Amino acid sequence: MSAAPTVTLANGVPMPALGLGTSPMDDEETEATVVAALRTGYRLIDTAENYRNEHGVGRGIRASGVDRDEIF
C-alpha cells in the first residue's frame, strides 16, 4: 500500500491530507469505524471532546493493531 499524501504544517510536522471525522458517531459506531479506517490505511483521526465519543476512538485505536505513534 502506498503512503497517503501529506501536508506540512507551519511547524514542519507532516500531517495526512485525508482523515476520518468521528462526529456525530456514538462510541460503538466510532470504535468500529476507527478500526476499519485504520486497517484500510487512514492515519488521521479527527476527534474532539465535544463529540463525546473518546472512549470509542480509544477502543478503536487499540483494536486496530496500528501503533499509536503512527496515528495523527
Side-chain angles (χ1 to χ4, degrees):
M1 177 185 308
S2 64
T6 61
V7 295
T8 302
L9 302 176
N11 62 0
V13 174
M15 179 181 83
L18 302 170
L20 171 71
T22 61
S23 177
M25 294 183 262
D26 63 24
D27 278 323
E28 185 175 320
E29 185 179 12
T30 299
E31 179 180 356
T33 304
V34 167
V35 169
L38 290 172
R39 288 183 179 169
T40 300
Y42 281 79
R43 291 299 180 265
L44 178 126
I45 306 298
D46 174 21
T47 187
E49 182 180 0
N50 288 344
Y51 299 171
R52 301 176 194 257
N53 59 11
E54 299 99 330
H55 294 289
V57 172
R59 289 193 307 258
I61 289 171
R62 283 189 296 279
S64 74
V66 174
D67 190 304
R68 176 60 184 93
D69 291 338
E70 295 181 32
I71 304 168
F72 192 95

